[in-house]
Structures are given as structure tokens and as C-alpha cells.
Amino acid sequence: MRFGWRRSGATLPPFPEALGVTFPPNASSGWTASITNDEHYSAGSNVFLLDGRDAGRLGFKTRPAPPLSSTEQPEEYYYSVEIAPFNKAADVDQLGPFMPPVLDDVTIYYMPWGAARVLREEEVIDE
Amino acid sequence: MKQAHAERRRRRDRRGMVLIIVLVVLAVLSLLVSAFAVVTRLETEAARNHLEGERARFLAWSGLEAAKFELRRMGTTPAYPAAWVAYHPGEHPQPPIEQATHPSFRLHLDPVPSILTASPARVPYPSGVMGSTHYRDPDNPQFGGDYYTLRVTDANGLIFLNDTNPHLRRMLDTLGAYLGLSTSEVGRKILAARPPGGFRSVSDIRTVFSNQDDYRAIAPFLTCHAWMDHKVVEMGEQYTAPDTGQATRSLRPATLALQSRAPISLNSAPVPVLVAVLEGIGYKGSPGAPGVSVSPALAETIAKAIVDYRLAAVGGGGSVSASPMTPQTRRYGFQSWGEFYGFLRTIPGVSEELAAIVLANCNPNTDLNKLNPDLSYYRPVDKTDLTSATTELCLASGGIFKIESLGVVLDDEGEVVATAKVAAVVRVFERYVDTTQADFEANRVDADARNPAFAGLRDLTTLPEYRNTLDKAQLDRLHEAEYDGQVSFNMITETDVSVDGVFAGYIRGHLDAEDTADNRIPMLAPYPLVRGGPEGNPKSVIGGSSAPNILSPDYAGGSDLFPAGVRSSIARGLGWDQADAIKTVHHEVPQSDIILTDGHGNYQETLATIPGWDYFAVDAVGFELWFKPDFNDPGLTTTGRQYLIDWEGGEPEPATTSFDSSDLTFDPQDFRDAVHEVYDDNVANYLAAVVAGGPGPDSPTRFDGIEHPMGALGIPPPPPSSLFYDGGPLPFGNFPYGQGADETTPGVMQDAETFAQLIEDYYTQALADLLNESMREVEEAPEEDTTTWGAKGHLQVWLEPAGRDGVSEYYTLKARFRIDAKNEEGTFSADYVRTWTYPGKIRAGTWHHLLFSFWALPPPGGGAPPDRMNFAVDSPDGGGVLVPSSTTVAAYPTEQHAQARIAYEVARSVTNVAVEFDPEDYRVPIEFPLGEIVSIGRDNRGGRAFRGLIDNVIFQGNWPKVPAPAATPDPPDRRRFDDYRPSLDKVVQINLATPSAGDDIHLFYNKRTPILEWDKSITVMGYHWTAWRYSESSPDGFPDIPPGGSHPVGLI
């Protein structure tokens, strides 16, 4: 799975057709790298972490929808799930039919604030 | 002297007073000093206490901020140790925070100070140290006496008090019972006290309990804030069938109602909460009273095993650490539903059935077998089967956490001098879920078909119903499902339904065969059509898209029993189990009612009546349907045949030819010659007898000895008067016969030539009258005459169990056409039997698209009918095949046309010579009209029902499909999940191992996600998905595809 970005008006880059295709972080459009190992997994939140387009693995930073300046355009965001065709060689032991993978749900985790939002806070006097 | 003495004495007395006064003063002063000292000391102590309390408060607030920071850090840090977040991970019961030895974010201290290892705990273990006002540990100076202890709880690990889940009350009751509360009916009382706007704090329920110990016991497991999943389908005991009063095995008007619920996190919920979720989940039995359910003891066993599992070294050997110093944690708890299902199977006492029940209840994806296109996520028990439910689980936090922070100050001796506690509920991150077909279809940006002719087709499709159509207007009529959905391969081929008789093309949106001109298939089959019009006219059993209601089908639309995108709250005929579901749908002819019956064949309701049902006979039919065999259930009789269709034709009737009586003409001269040949001598003899005063009107026997020409046919001899008298003078003098009414008047005798002509004319006319009479009889009673042909042309298509590969059962598809002849005793016996066996395997649990063509009739001119049994099963095991008959049989029964046969016999018996009329011209194959009943999904006798689902049944008369010759080497009806890519308009080579060897072109599901487009920069942490894929090599056969990692086959 990858996330894509595109500045308004820019052409959405072709969907990556192979693993390892990367785009410069400042590109007007591109896709994040595909996660390929468990190091990107956070057990704490049970989330597969997304690379930032900048260096580091702090998640994928979006850019504000309203332009920051006259020269910067807001961005649109996409996600892409790549489904591989059947590999008959790999499935040689497959006695039955080649059933397709079925994607049941996709959950995206994001932090829209700079800090955790307090929903309720109290001092516990007596319990 | 005395005065002096007295004066001295007075002086001495005054000195004593002074002393007393001084002493008193001193005492008062001492008292004041003491009082001041006490007051000062108390004030100092109070000030110090206040100071320590404030210190503790600030420590607590600091802990709160630290927890918020760590929770955010957790969200973006690879290998963040989940166990470090957990409070007393794996323990139950958990101590209060004041006695915590393993708090959340437990501080790593090495060595561990001795005061933190005392048992029982003297002081709570720190989550963070802020300083050392009084105490600094002699063993480890890092531990100062000013610190905080944290207890962080995932809000979705608790029971959400403000949930609208109808099963909340029972869950609270279960929780109360498990905790041993003295308060009864906890659920009812709490919900009765819930204000319309919901509880604002858990402490709001304090008044519910007269025993505050009960409140303190249950409060830690409750929350008033939680992440809500707004796309959960309510299932369970929603049975409302007052009309039948039957609680079991009858139709269930499942409404697939969407509901907002707070799922319970499988990876953070404590044991009591898990018990509340698990206990009572069940199916079978009756709604609310399941026959099989999770017992309280088993629920506790599973709950404790879940808690233990979180800390187990799973997931490729990754260890679980509760220390930030060893953050090598790769796994914590369950990553996927498949993992959870496999875990359940390992628990003693949890049968496969129970595991399936728990998964059906707990997986937020609806995943109904009725909608499952394949084995990919087959469920032994799905949500519609549940008779008792609780709420769903989730695998990850919803981003909302409860934080308890205890600030602690120790004195010089390491004793607690001050504590303060603060609590907060914080939202750390958000989660967005695409899970329904409507979600997946929204904002898709996938490449469309490159070929304009295929516009509307995509490489990947969404389920539950495939969304393929070339007709944009039609696509707009199909509603995306809002209750569930998946993304999967499209089921397409590169060839449209063809005019040359080729079976399968891409499945258009009107799979259900809209009755439109566009959907009529031109009938240019290679075999001559002798009945029907120029077009086929497929019809769907059930339609309905603009009015997606099974009870009010819309035949103009393209939909079916489970229409694409039926919106929620539409009543539908889902059964309690598949045995009661669609398998028993059948239709009757000519009423063409579609009747839903229960598993025993008993009438339940009439679903629809199809007007204008005009398919043709059993011996020349094409039909298609989708079917999905169920797995064998030992409790049900599924070991024998399971009929997809059972069709008995009516009584045979004249075939497509007809007898024209004008064919039965006789050349007058030929006939005359024949008469003369036979009767010349007799005519002469007759005349001689007349002249000799032969027979009179009352004595015809005088002609005895003269052969009566037509006596055998019952034609009387001609009356003499009409033969001999012409009204003129008798040439032979007085004739013994008179003329006129009394035949006493002498007449004129004809001459011999005229006499012969009269006889001939007489017999010709008599013969013609006889033939006409016979023809009238033939025409008036054709059916009576056709009973000699046999009866009951009978077509059956069925499945037979054929074994098991791995976890997958499979069936063999067979067909038989048989003609039963009626013997002299009036009973039937097989006279003509042909059977066919489809060579491919038919897998249980997966949809198959069966296209079936049958043409029993021999070609004109006779001969055996060709092998026109053509199966095309849309499965990976084969495409359309021309299946030769496996039975060697005699020639197909034929018969002369009944009228022709009778007429010929008459003519031949009359003339006793061959006439110019060949009855073989009227030899035709026998044919059958519609019978009384056509059963789909069962045999005509109400038994041996197909166990599974049948959908999209389409009949079409005159559909003798055969693969086009040009397509034989490369049948255009391709395998399912084939390699045609609409986005490229070509067939690609699939070769992942060596991509350069072919067009290793993956498929992409792409969509825009406006939810991420904010007016400020946000951080997208990551993702999680649930995906499935069937695998024979997996122990369970249905492994999921975990997110992350590189999967050679599957999702990337």
C-alpha cells in the first residue's frame, strides 16, 4: 500500500508498476514507498507505519489544503493497494482454484493535531 | 525591735510574692512559647504538606503530559513496545494505581531500588521521575522521590456506556456477574440511569450502586468515550416473525441494519471486558436462545488466553518487551482476524464451530456467505447465522485513551508524603475506515478500460455484486452496498456474449438479463432453429435495482436476489442458515411463481410471479445460473445428489412439422385404374347379376359371390337405383326394380360403361368421405394418438460429492436427459438416456457461473442428435466444454407424424397400393412442451435440495450454444480471474517470478482520500487492512493477508 500526493492541477503520476519506485519529496506528485517489512509496524498502535516523504519515519506529512503561500498549491491525497496477479509458479502446491485476494477493509490512521486533544480532564479527589 | 522584725518579715513575704509572680509569668511565657512552637510547627507542617501535595499534583500533571507525548510517539515509532504502554500487561486482576508495580510506561531502572521491590508494595512503581526533594535512592540514584505513575487504558478496551448497541445491557450484566457484584441487573440499572445525552463521566453511574464497592469494582472497565465504528451491521437476535411463531428454521427478515458501535479492542481489553464480549455468543436454537453458545467458563478461558497471547513471542520470533530499553517488540497481540481465528482453534474446548461463531460476532466486517464470491473468506458461520450476539472487536486502538496519573512524593526515608491523582481522556489520533462497497467506490481513480467498447470495466471490481457494465446509466442504477464490501479481481473475459454461439463474455451489469433489446442475444447458432423467434429472450428469475426489494422485483432493472447495493433496512429472504435460503427457490410453469420454501420444502412465501414466461421446452434449452455449493455439513443430508435443476417436460407432442391433409391427394386416374384393376371383373359380374334379375333392394344378398369392393372399409354397396336408372326408358325392357320413392316405377337401365363409371364415382366419393372423416378424427384427437410416443422428457443437472483437496471439498457436475417410454401397462421406463459429466471440479464455497446448453433434437432428416450438451462453468478448473455423452444409446426416438401416419394407413388400406405419399416425410424427433414444474435448487419431488446458493437464473429457449470453431484452440470463455486487463485492453502474461518474461502488470486499486486533506498539515501515521485469500496449503484454508511485508501473491 502506498500513499500518493498531487498538487492541485498537477498530473497524478502513473501508478507505480513495480516495487521500489520512489518520488522526490518535493515532487509535485508522487507515491510513497511501499512498506515491505515489519520494521514499519508499531505494535503499540497495531499500525503499519508510513514513511514520510521526507527523511525519517515519522509518518506522512500532508500539506495544508489552503495554500501556504502564493507559490504553493494545496495537495490531494490518494492511497493505492497493489494486488498481484497469480503467480502460478509460487502456487504450484495449490491444489484447488486460484482464489483471488479479497481486500475487506482499509483503515488509515492519522493525527490531525499537533498534540493529543483532551476530551475530558479532572483531578480525582476521592474515589 | 518588733517593728524592725515585722518590717523584715514583710519584706520577706513580699519577696515570695515576686517569686510566685515570676513563676507565673514564666509559666505563662513558657506556655505561650510552647503554643507558639506548636502553632509554628503545625503551620510549618501544613505548609510542607501543602507544598508536597502541590508537588504531587504537578507531578501528576507532568505524568499526564508525558503520557500524551508517549502516546503520540507510539503512533509514529517503529517497534514501539506495546507492552510498555500497557498497565500490568497480562495480569488479572490488576491492582489499583497506588499499588502498581508495572504501570504504563514503566520506568527502566537498573538496578531496581529495593523500596520498589517490597512486597506488598510500599510505594507505586514510577513511570517517570521528576526530581528528588527528599528522597534519593541509595541503590540507584536515578530514582528520586518525586515521580509519577501512569495507568493508560485504551478507551476501546473498555465497555462504552453510551453505546446504542442493543446487546449492551447483557454485556454489562455479564460484566457485573463476572466481577461478583452484589448489585443485580447492573445492565438494566445503568441503562435506566443513562441520560438522553449519555453519561459524561463514569462517575455518573455511582448513584446506581448502593454498595460503592460495586461501583469501584466495575468502574475501571467502563468508559464514556470511545471510537465508534459507524458501519457495523447489527446481527444477532433480531428475529421478528410473529406471523409464523416459529423461532427456528424459518425465514428471518434480516434487515442488515447499520449501527454505530464502539468495538472492543482485542489487544487492550482486560479479562472482564473480554468475558463480557464473549459470553453468550451463539447460533442455532432460536433467537436469544442459541443452541450452541460460548459458556461463561469458556468465555473466561478464552479471555485469559487472549491476554496471555499478547505477551507471547509470536509473529516471527519477535519478543515482547515491557521496557523501552528493549524495544524490539514486533508483535503485540493479534494483527489480523485470521490470526485470531487460528488462535481460537488452539484453545481446548473451542470447536471449529465455536471459533467460527466468535469470529462471526467479533469481526466488524459482515462477510456474509451469501455475498462471498469465493472461498476467499468463507465463513462456516456468518453473522446472519447468529442467534445471540454481543459486539464487535477491533485489532487496534481507536486513538482515544484514558490516562490516570498519580503524582508521588517520598520523604527522606522513602515513605510517601504526598500523592495526587489526575485523570484525562485524550484523543491521540484518528482512524478512517473504508469497508463498504460504497466506501470503496467513492472517489475511485482507477484506470478505466482503454478500449472504448469496454468503457466501464475495470481491472478490479468491488463486491458484493460485481459492478461491470458498459452502460453508464445502468451503472448509476446500481447502488453500492453500504453494509459491507470488498475489492477483488474482476471477473471478466475479453469476449462479449457473442452472436456465434460462444458462451461467456464479460459479465455485464445486466448479468441478470434485463429484458431489453440490448440484452437479447441474436440467435445465429449453427444449429437450425425450428422454434422460437429470431432472438433469445433471457429472463432473470428475480430482478430489481431501482426497487431493490425481493418482494417487489423490478424486471427491467438488473439485479437479483442479492442486488448490488441493496441499501440497508431492506427486508430480504435470508434464512437462518443456508439450508433455508435460496436453495429452495423454484418456479412453476405456467404460473411461474417463484416460491421460497424452508429446508423441508414447505411453502414459505411467494416471491414473485413472472409474467410472459416464454422459454421453450426441456429438449432445447439454454440456461445459466450462478451457484455456490456449501460445504458438507455432517448434520445435514448433503452426501447425495444436490440438484441444480430438475425439469420434466410435458407429454410429447408433434414436433415442429405439421401434417397438411392436402398432401393426401390421389391422382384420379391412378385411383380409377386401381379400382378397375381390382373390380373390373366384379363389375361385370355385378352387371350380369343385375340383368339376370339379381338382387333387389330387400335382397342384397343376391350379390353374394360378387366381391364387394369396399366392404372391408365399411362402405356399403351403391343402391342399385342410383346405378341403373337414369330417368329414361330402360334399355333392357322391364326392369324388376321400379324407380321413384317406391322403386316401383320402371326406369331406364344404364349402359354398361355408364354403369361402371357410376360405380367408380360412387366408391371414389365414398372413399373421399371416409378419408375426410378419418382426418377429422385425427385432427380432433392428436394428443390421444401421441401417447404412444412415450412421455416425460426429463432433464436434470446435479452435483455429487467428489472428495476433498486439502480443506476444500469439491463436487462433480453431472447432467442427464432421459425419455421415458410408456409401455403397454401404462407405466414409464427409461427408453433413451444420455448422461454427461463435467470434467472440471466444482469447489464448495465458491461461486460458479454455469452456462448450460442442451439440444436433444436430431437434425432434420433423422439421425442421432449431435452432442450439444455444452457446459461452461466459470471456474478456474475449466471453461466451456463440449461434453460428449457418456452413455451409448440408441437413436433418438422419432415418430411419424400422427396424422400422416393415420392418413397413410387409411389410404393404403383403401387402395391396397402405394400412393404418392411418403409417410417418412413426416418422421420427426419427439419433442416436449413445458412440463408442470421446473425446480431450481431441488428435484421435483421436493427432496435432495441443493445446499448452497443459486442466483441469477436465466432461461432461454432455443439456445444451442457451441463454441465457435475458430475459438476452439483458445476458448474465449476464459478462466475466472483471467489475465485480460481492461485498462490495457490486452491479455497480459502473468509471470511474477521473472517479470521480464511477461507483462508483469499488477492491479491497482486507487482512490482519492479527501479525509486527509485538511487546512493544516497533518501526519498520516499508517494503515492497516483486512484481506483474505484462500489457500489449499493453509491449515485452515482461509488465511488472511497481513498488511506490511511483501507478498508474492496477494496484496502489496
Side-chain angles (χ1 to χ4, degrees), chain B residues 295-343:
Chain B
S295 67
L298 186 59
E300 183 178 25
T301 299
I302 299 174
K304 289 182 174 176
I306 290 172
V307 172
D308 291 342
Y309 185 85
R310 294 174 190 159
L311 295 177
V314 294
S319 62
V320 174
S321 171
S323 167
M325 303 304 291
T326 53
Q328 69 271 33
T329 301
R330 299 177 66 189
R331 299 288 305 274
Y332 182 76
F334 300 89
Q335 274 190 335
S336 66
W337 296 112
E339 182 182 355
F340 180 52
Y341 183 67
F343 156 81

Side-chain angles (χ1 to χ4, degrees), chain A residues 16 62 65 80 82 91 104 119, chain B residues 425 1002 1004 1006 1014 1017 1026 1029:
Chain A
T62 69
S80 176
E82 190 173 355
D91 277 350
D104 216 351
L119 303 179
Chain B
V425 179
H1002 295 194
F1004 292 89
N1006 306 289
W1014 286 57
S1017 182
T1026 299
R1029 177 178 174 264

Side-chain angles (χ1 to χ4, degrees), chain A residues 16 41 46 50 60 62 65 77 79-80 82-83 86 91 102 104 106-111 117 119-120 122, chain B residues 330 395 423 425 427 430 432 434 990 1002-1004 1006 1009 1014 1017 1019-1021 1024 1026 1028-1029 1050 1052:
Chain A
Y41 172 67
N46 205 8
L50 197 65
F60 179 82
T62 69
Y77 298 98
Y79 74 80
S80 176
E82 190 173 355
I83 301 180
F86 296 105
D91 277 350
V102 171
D104 216 351
V106 173
T107 303
I108 298 172
Y109 301 83
Y110 61 99
M111 293 179 177
R117 291 184 68 197
L119 303 179
R120 183 175 179 82
E122 60 187 345
Chain B
R330 299 177 66 189
L395 300 171
V425 179
R427 186 188 292 273
E430 290 275 9
Y432 160 78
D434 280 333
I990 300 174
H1002 295 194
L1003 308 171
F1004 292 89
N1006 306 289
T1009 49
W1014 286 57
S1017 182
T1019 299
V1020 185
M1021 298 160 50
H1024 189 280
T1026 299
W1028 304 87
R1029 177 178 174 264
I1052 300 173

